[in-house]
Amino acid sequence: MEWHLPDRCLRQFGREQCIPLEVPDSQRAFHGRDGWQGTRDWPTKLANFIAIWENRKSQDIVTPTQVGRMRYHDPYLDRYRQTSVRYMTPEGAADGALADGIERIKDMTTGRTELGNEDVRFIR
């Protein structure tokens, strides 16, 4: 028994990516790391997870179709940058930093970022 987390892969299906919901830590309950290895009373032990499964159809995830690229300051990307490792190689980090810098400059020059300092005026 494993969690199915469709809200973590919406972009793969052409949908706008929302910030994923937090899920309970089920690994201990499902994999016997809590001293229950010998139990045979799984319906009782996993009753709260079974209730969540039974209620699954009332928790459909509905998001709009993704149009174009996600903006640099999309709430999902802001959270992603805070909680994840974005790049696996130095080359990937360099490419990503360059793309992020260009996106930031674009945001500053189009008024999407409210900075109003001399640097922004210079870039404009």
Short mmCIF file of all heavy atoms in Angstrom, two decimals, residues 75-113:
data_model
loop_
_atom_site.label_atom_id
_atom_site.label_comp_id
_atom_site.label_asym_id
_atom_site.label_seq_id
_atom_site.Cartn_x
_atom_site.Cartn_y
_atom_site.Cartn_z
N PRO A 75 4.00 30.65 -7.40
CA PRO A 75 4.08 30.13 -6.03
C PRO A 75 4.69 28.74 -5.94
O PRO A 75 5.45 28.44 -5.01
CB PRO A 75 2.62 30.13 -5.57
CG PRO A 75 1.97 31.19 -6.38
CD PRO A 75 2.67 31.16 -7.72
N TYR A 76 4.39 27.87 -6.89
CA TYR A 76 4.97 26.53 -6.88
C TYR A 76 6.48 26.59 -7.02
O TYR A 76 7.21 25.92 -6.29
CB TYR A 76 4.37 25.66 -7.99
CG TYR A 76 5.10 24.35 -8.13
CD1 TYR A 76 4.87 23.33 -7.24
CD2 TYR A 76 6.05 24.16 -9.13
CE1 TYR A 76 5.56 22.12 -7.34
CE2 TYR A 76 6.74 22.96 -9.24
CZ TYR A 76 6.50 21.94 -8.35
OH TYR A 76 7.19 20.77 -8.44
N LEU A 77 6.99 27.40 -7.95
CA LEU A 77 8.44 27.48 -8.16
C LEU A 77 9.14 28.14 -6.98
O LEU A 77 10.25 27.73 -6.62
CB LEU A 77 8.75 28.22 -9.46
CG LEU A 77 8.42 27.44 -10.73
CD1 LEU A 77 8.74 28.29 -11.96
CD2 LEU A 77 9.17 26.12 -10.78
N ASP A 78 8.52 29.15 -6.37
CA ASP A 78 9.11 29.75 -5.18
C ASP A 78 9.26 28.70 -4.08
O ASP A 78 10.31 28.60 -3.44
CB ASP A 78 8.27 30.92 -4.67
CG ASP A 78 8.44 32.18 -5.52
OD1 ASP A 78 9.44 32.27 -6.28
OD2 ASP A 78 7.58 33.07 -5.42
N ARG A 79 8.22 27.90 -3.87
CA ARG A 79 8.30 26.84 -2.84
C ARG A 79 9.31 25.77 -3.24
O ARG A 79 10.08 25.30 -2.41
CB ARG A 79 6.93 26.20 -2.64
CG ARG A 79 6.95 25.12 -1.57
CD ARG A 79 5.59 24.49 -1.40
NE ARG A 79 5.60 23.48 -0.39
CZ ARG A 79 5.97 22.21 -0.59
NH1 ARG A 79 6.38 21.83 -1.78
NH2 ARG A 79 5.94 21.33 0.37
N TYR A 80 9.32 25.42 -4.51
CA TYR A 80 10.26 24.40 -5.00
C TYR A 80 11.70 24.81 -4.74
O TYR A 80 12.52 24.02 -4.29
CB TYR A 80 10.02 24.17 -6.50
CG TYR A 80 10.92 23.14 -7.11
CD1 TYR A 80 10.64 21.79 -6.97
CD2 TYR A 80 12.07 23.51 -7.81
CE1 TYR A 80 11.47 20.83 -7.53
CE2 TYR A 80 12.90 22.56 -8.36
CZ TYR A 80 12.59 21.22 -8.22
OH TYR A 80 13.41 20.27 -8.76
N ARG A 81 12.02 26.08 -5.02
CA ARG A 81 13.39 26.55 -4.79
C ARG A 81 13.77 26.51 -3.32
O ARG A 81 14.94 26.35 -2.99
CB ARG A 81 13.55 27.96 -5.36
CG ARG A 81 13.72 27.99 -6.86
CD ARG A 81 14.09 29.37 -7.36
NE ARG A 81 13.01 30.32 -7.25
CZ ARG A 81 12.04 30.47 -8.14
NH1 ARG A 81 12.02 29.74 -9.24
NH2 ARG A 81 11.09 31.36 -7.96
N GLN A 82 12.80 26.63 -2.42
CA GLN A 82 13.08 26.61 -0.99
C GLN A 82 13.25 25.20 -0.45
O GLN A 82 13.93 25.00 0.55
CB GLN A 82 11.94 27.28 -0.22
CG GLN A 82 11.83 28.76 -0.46
CD GLN A 82 10.57 29.33 0.16
OE1 GLN A 82 9.77 28.63 0.78
NE2 GLN A 82 10.38 30.63 -0.01
N THR A 83 12.63 24.20 -1.09
CA THR A 83 12.58 22.86 -0.49
C THR A 83 13.32 21.79 -1.29
O THR A 83 13.37 20.65 -0.85
CB THR A 83 11.12 22.40 -0.34
OG1 THR A 83 10.50 22.37 -1.63
CG2 THR A 83 10.35 23.33 0.58
N SER A 84 13.88 22.13 -2.45
CA SER A 84 14.44 21.09 -3.32
C SER A 84 15.85 21.42 -3.78
O SER A 84 16.29 22.56 -3.74
CB SER A 84 13.55 20.93 -4.56
OG SER A 84 12.25 20.60 -4.18
N VAL A 85 16.51 20.40 -4.25
CA VAL A 85 17.79 20.57 -4.94
C VAL A 85 17.45 20.72 -6.41
O VAL A 85 16.89 19.81 -7.02
CB VAL A 85 18.70 19.34 -4.72
CG1 VAL A 85 19.97 19.47 -5.52
CG2 VAL A 85 19.00 19.17 -3.24
N ARG A 86 17.76 21.87 -6.99
CA ARG A 86 17.33 22.15 -8.35
C ARG A 86 18.23 21.55 -9.41
O ARG A 86 17.78 21.23 -10.50
CB ARG A 86 17.23 23.66 -8.56
CG ARG A 86 16.12 24.29 -7.76
CD ARG A 86 16.05 25.77 -7.99
NE ARG A 86 15.66 26.04 -9.36
CZ ARG A 86 15.89 27.21 -9.96
NH1 ARG A 86 16.51 28.17 -9.33
NH2 ARG A 86 15.51 27.41 -11.20
N TYR A 87 19.51 21.45 -9.17
CA TYR A 87 20.44 21.04 -10.22
C TYR A 87 21.33 19.92 -9.71
O TYR A 87 21.79 19.94 -8.58
CB TYR A 87 21.31 22.23 -10.65
CG TYR A 87 20.48 23.43 -11.04
CD1 TYR A 87 20.42 24.54 -10.23
CD2 TYR A 87 19.73 23.42 -12.20
CE1 TYR A 87 19.64 25.63 -10.58
CE2 TYR A 87 18.94 24.49 -12.56
CZ TYR A 87 18.91 25.60 -11.74
OH TYR A 87 18.14 26.66 -12.08
N MET A 88 21.60 18.97 -10.60
CA MET A 88 22.43 17.83 -10.24
C MET A 88 23.89 17.99 -10.64
O MET A 88 24.74 17.31 -10.12
CB MET A 88 21.88 16.55 -10.89
CG MET A 88 20.49 16.21 -10.46
SD MET A 88 20.50 15.88 -8.70
CE MET A 88 18.78 15.74 -8.38
N THR A 89 24.16 18.90 -11.57
CA THR A 89 25.53 19.08 -12.05
C THR A 89 25.88 20.56 -12.05
O THR A 89 25.00 21.42 -12.12
CB THR A 89 25.69 18.55 -13.49
OG1 THR A 89 24.88 19.35 -14.37
CG2 THR A 89 25.28 17.09 -13.60
N PRO A 90 27.16 20.88 -12.01
CA PRO A 90 27.57 22.29 -12.11
C PRO A 90 27.11 22.93 -13.43
O PRO A 90 26.72 24.10 -13.45
CB PRO A 90 29.09 22.24 -12.03
CG PRO A 90 29.39 20.97 -11.31
CD PRO A 90 28.30 20.02 -11.71
N GLU A 91 27.13 22.16 -14.50
CA GLU A 91 26.69 22.68 -15.79
C GLU A 91 25.20 23.04 -15.76
O GLU A 91 24.78 24.08 -16.26
CB GLU A 91 26.96 21.68 -16.92
CG GLU A 91 28.42 21.40 -17.17
CD GLU A 91 29.01 20.38 -16.20
OE1 GLU A 91 28.26 19.69 -15.47
OE2 GLU A 91 30.25 20.28 -16.17
N GLY A 92 24.40 22.16 -15.17
CA GLY A 92 22.97 22.42 -15.04
C GLY A 92 22.70 23.65 -14.18
O GLY A 92 21.83 24.46 -14.48
N ALA A 93 23.48 23.80 -13.10
CA ALA A 93 23.33 24.97 -12.23
C ALA A 93 23.68 26.25 -12.98
O ALA A 93 23.00 27.26 -12.84
CB ALA A 93 24.20 24.82 -10.99
N ALA A 94 24.74 26.21 -13.80
CA ALA A 94 25.14 27.40 -14.56
C ALA A 94 24.04 27.77 -15.57
O ALA A 94 23.66 28.94 -15.68
CB ALA A 94 26.46 27.16 -15.28
N ASP A 95 23.53 26.79 -16.29
CA ASP A 95 22.46 27.06 -17.25
C ASP A 95 21.22 27.60 -16.55
O ASP A 95 20.59 28.55 -17.01
CB ASP A 95 22.08 25.79 -18.02
CG ASP A 95 23.16 25.35 -19.00
OD1 ASP A 95 24.09 26.14 -19.26
OD2 ASP A 95 23.07 24.21 -19.49
N GLY A 96 20.87 27.00 -15.42
CA GLY A 96 19.69 27.43 -14.68
C GLY A 96 19.85 28.83 -14.11
O GLY A 96 18.91 29.63 -14.14
N ALA A 97 21.04 29.13 -13.60
CA ALA A 97 21.28 30.47 -13.05
C ALA A 97 21.18 31.53 -14.15
O ALA A 97 20.63 32.61 -13.93
CB ALA A 97 22.65 30.52 -12.37
N LEU A 98 21.69 31.22 -15.32
CA LEU A 98 21.59 32.15 -16.45
C LEU A 98 20.13 32.38 -16.83
O LEU A 98 19.68 33.52 -16.99
CB LEU A 98 22.39 31.63 -17.64
CG LEU A 98 22.37 32.50 -18.89
CD1 LEU A 98 22.99 33.86 -18.61
CD2 LEU A 98 23.12 31.81 -20.02
N ALA A 99 19.38 31.31 -16.96
CA ALA A 99 17.96 31.43 -17.32
C ALA A 99 17.19 32.19 -16.23
O ALA A 99 16.35 33.04 -16.54
CB ALA A 99 17.35 30.05 -17.53
N ASP A 100 17.49 31.91 -14.96
CA ASP A 100 16.82 32.62 -13.87
C ASP A 100 17.15 34.11 -13.90
O ASP A 100 16.29 34.96 -13.68
CB ASP A 100 17.24 32.04 -12.51
CG ASP A 100 16.66 30.66 -12.25
OD1 ASP A 100 15.79 30.21 -13.03
OD2 ASP A 100 17.09 30.03 -11.27
N GLY A 101 18.41 34.44 -14.17
CA GLY A 101 18.82 35.85 -14.24
C GLY A 101 18.10 36.59 -15.34
O GLY A 101 17.61 37.72 -15.16
N ILE A 102 18.00 35.97 -16.50
CA ILE A 102 17.29 36.60 -17.63
C ILE A 102 15.81 36.79 -17.27
O ILE A 102 15.23 37.84 -17.54
CB ILE A 102 17.46 35.75 -18.91
CG1 ILE A 102 18.92 35.83 -19.37
CG2 ILE A 102 16.51 36.21 -20.00
CD1 ILE A 102 19.28 34.86 -20.46
N GLU A 103 15.23 35.79 -16.65
CA GLU A 103 13.82 35.90 -16.26
C GLU A 103 13.62 37.03 -15.24
O GLU A 103 12.66 37.80 -15.32
CB GLU A 103 13.35 34.57 -15.66
CG GLU A 103 11.89 34.52 -15.32
CD GLU A 103 11.03 33.99 -16.44
OE1 GLU A 103 11.56 33.40 -17.40
OE2 GLU A 103 9.81 34.19 -16.36
N ARG A 104 14.53 37.15 -14.29
CA ARG A 104 14.43 38.23 -13.29
C ARG A 104 14.54 39.59 -13.95
O ARG A 104 13.80 40.52 -13.62
CB ARG A 104 15.52 38.08 -12.24
CG ARG A 104 15.24 37.00 -11.24
CD ARG A 104 16.35 36.95 -10.21
NE ARG A 104 16.08 35.93 -9.23
CZ ARG A 104 16.90 35.60 -8.27
NH1 ARG A 104 18.07 36.21 -8.15
NH2 ARG A 104 16.60 34.66 -7.41
N ILE A 105 15.49 39.75 -14.86
CA ILE A 105 15.65 41.03 -15.56
C ILE A 105 14.38 41.36 -16.34
O ILE A 105 13.90 42.49 -16.32
CB ILE A 105 16.89 41.02 -16.47
CG1 ILE A 105 18.16 41.00 -15.62
CG2 ILE A 105 16.88 42.21 -17.43
CD1 ILE A 105 19.42 40.75 -16.41
N LYS A 106 13.83 40.37 -17.00
CA LYS A 106 12.58 40.58 -17.75
C LYS A 106 11.47 41.03 -16.81
O LYS A 106 10.73 41.97 -17.12
CB LYS A 106 12.19 39.29 -18.47
CG LYS A 106 10.94 39.42 -19.30
CD LYS A 106 10.62 38.11 -19.99
CE LYS A 106 9.31 38.20 -20.74
NZ LYS A 106 8.93 36.90 -21.29
N ASP A 107 11.34 40.38 -15.65
CA ASP A 107 10.32 40.77 -14.68
C ASP A 107 10.54 42.20 -14.20
O ASP A 107 9.59 42.97 -14.04
CB ASP A 107 10.30 39.82 -13.48
CG ASP A 107 9.64 38.49 -13.79
OD1 ASP A 107 9.03 38.36 -14.86
OD2 ASP A 107 9.76 37.57 -12.95
N MET A 108 11.79 42.57 -13.96
CA MET A 108 12.07 43.92 -13.48
C MET A 108 11.76 44.97 -14.54
O MET A 108 11.25 46.04 -14.23
CB MET A 108 13.54 44.04 -13.04
CG MET A 108 13.83 43.30 -11.76
SD MET A 108 15.46 43.63 -11.03
CE MET A 108 16.59 43.35 -12.35
N THR A 109 12.05 44.68 -15.78
CA THR A 109 11.86 45.68 -16.83
C THR A 109 10.42 45.78 -17.30
O THR A 109 10.05 46.76 -17.93
CB THR A 109 12.78 45.40 -18.04
OG1 THR A 109 12.48 44.11 -18.56
CG2 THR A 109 14.24 45.49 -17.65
N THR A 110 9.60 44.78 -17.01
CA THR A 110 8.20 44.84 -17.42
C THR A 110 7.29 45.26 -16.28
O THR A 110 6.08 45.27 -16.44
CB THR A 110 7.73 43.48 -17.98
OG1 THR A 110 7.94 42.48 -16.97
CG2 THR A 110 8.47 43.11 -19.24
N GLY A 111 7.88 45.59 -15.14
CA GLY A 111 7.09 46.06 -14.01
C GLY A 111 6.46 44.95 -13.19
O GLY A 111 5.67 45.22 -12.29
N ARG A 112 6.80 43.69 -13.44
CA ARG A 112 6.22 42.58 -12.67
C ARG A 112 6.83 42.51 -11.28
O ARG A 112 6.26 41.94 -10.39
CB ARG A 112 6.43 41.27 -13.40
CG ARG A 112 5.59 41.17 -14.63
CD ARG A 112 5.59 39.78 -15.18
NE ARG A 112 4.71 39.75 -16.32
CZ ARG A 112 4.98 39.11 -17.43
NH1 ARG A 112 6.08 38.42 -17.54
NH2 ARG A 112 4.14 39.12 -18.43
N THR A 113 8.04 43.05 -11.14
CA THR A 113 8.70 43.08 -9.85
C THR A 113 8.73 44.53 -9.38
O THR A 113 9.21 45.40 -10.09
CB THR A 113 10.14 42.53 -9.95
OG1 THR A 113 10.07 41.21 -10.46
CG2 THR A 113 10.82 42.51 -8.61
#
